[in-house]
């Protein structure tokens, strides 16, 4: 924390953390409880590691029971080896061979084209490229006419999530924005 003045400061935080794959994701067991959606775990999964950085600014003022403050926060995080699903649909001999090759690693489980056409198959895998960014800011000030503080706030979040579908890398980008006004 770095104080610019007695009532204004900057705060910097770094955090590193690990994400261990779930036992369901690690188990080398074929899950065919839903015959139209077969999945198998992946014992080769690595644990994920996240880096996150936060920068926070705060300024406050207290005068005759009339307070005001301003804050800004910027958060960024990146995850290496995040767990994502590799999903594809069995619709031809090539996709059937791919699924059967993956299933053979985990036992004598093999399907024919007649019994597998249209089945969705998924297996967890490690992917890089998962990250998020968040900005939040706000200002509060005293409004003499109503003898209350008016609080204004803005929040924006961006998430990037990679996955595999039908043998193609897919990246999902989501944006979320919100504003608030309170008395």
């Amino acid at each position: 924390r770095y104080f610019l003045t007695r009532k204004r400061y900057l705060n910097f935080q770094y955090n590193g953390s690990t994400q261990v794959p779930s036992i369901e994701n690690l188990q080398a067991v074929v899950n065919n409880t839903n015959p139209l959606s077969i999945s198998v775990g992946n014992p080769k999964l690595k644990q994920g590691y996240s880096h996150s950085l936060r920068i926070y600014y705060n300024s406050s003022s207290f005068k005759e029971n009339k307070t005001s403050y301003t804050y800004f926060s910027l958060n960024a995080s990146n995850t290496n080896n995040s767990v994502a699903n590799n999903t594809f649909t069995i619709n031809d001999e090539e996709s059937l061979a791919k699924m059967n090759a993956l299933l053979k690693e985990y036992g004598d489980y093999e399907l024919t084209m007649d019994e597998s056409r249209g089945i969705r198959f998924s297996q967890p895998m490690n992917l890089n490229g998962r990250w998020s960014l968040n900005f939040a800011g706000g200002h509060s000030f005293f409004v003499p006419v109503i003898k209350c503080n008016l609080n204004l706030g803005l929040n924006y979040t961006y998430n990037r999530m990679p996955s595999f579908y039908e043998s193609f890398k897919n990246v999902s980008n989501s944006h979320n924005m919100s504003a608030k006004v309170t008395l």
Side-chain angles (χ1 to χ4, degrees):
R1 184 177 283 192
Y2 177 73
F3 284 91
L4 302 166
T5 67
R6 271 186 46 216
K7 297 178 183 176
R8 293 185 312 142
Y9 69 88
L10 280 170
N11 191 24
F12 300 93
Q13 294 176 328
Y14 168 80
N15 185 36
S17 62
T18 60
Q19 289 86 39
V20 179
S22 71
I23 191 70
E24 182 181 81
N25 285 338
L26 288 170
Q27 281 184 320
V29 175
V30 176
N31 179 353
N32 62 353
T33 54
N34 178 351
L36 296 177
S37 181
I38 296 175
S39 63
V40 65
N42 184 352
K44 298 174 187 171
L45 287 175
K46 301 174 188 170
Q47 75 178 9
Y49 193 83
S50 288
H51 304 271
S52 62
L53 178 65
R54 179 178 187 226
I55 301 169
Y56 182 78
Y57 169 80
N58 188 354
S59 173
S60 58
S61 173
F62 305 98
K63 296 177 186 173
E64 302 172 15
N65 295 330
K66 300 172 189 172
T67 63
S68 70
Y69 69 88
T70 303
Y71 73 93
F72 297 102
S73 174
L74 180 63
N75 301 301
S77 68
N78 175 280
T79 304
N80 297 319
N81 292 324
S82 66
V83 175
N85 279 326
N86 179 10
T87 303
F88 57 93
T89 304
I90 310 305
N91 52 19
D92 57 20
E93 292 293 333
E94 184 181 338
S95 57
L96 175 65
K98 181 179 175 182
M99 180 188 71
N100 281 332
L102 288 168
L103 291 174
K104 275 189 180 181
E105 290 183 39
Y106 307 108
D108 290 331
Y109 194 90
E110 188 170 335
L111 295 173
T112 65
M113 183 54 87
D114 289 339
E115 58 191 0
S116 62
R117 186 175 298 280
I119 289 176
R120 198 176 97 184
F121 178 81
S122 66
Q123 182 180 39
M125 63 186 296
N126 290 116
L127 285 175
N128 291 326
R130 179 180 178 180
W131 57 278
S132 66
L133 184 64
N134 173 264
F135 168 80
H139 182 65
S140 174
F141 56 94
F142 185 74
V143 181
V145 175
I146 55 176
K147 297 182 181 176
C148 287
N149 270 25
L150 178 62
N151 304 306
L152 306 172
L154 181 65
N155 188 26
Y156 170 77
T157 302
Y158 169 72
N159 286 305
R160 180 183 192 274
M161 178 75 76
S163 65
F164 261 88
Y165 188 74
E166 300 295 341
S167 301
F168 294 101
K169 186 173 183 180
N170 179 46
V171 177
S172 169
N173 296 296
S174 65
H175 303 269
N176 185 5
M177 188 169 180
S178 63
K180 67 178 180 177
V181 177
T182 58
L183 283 175

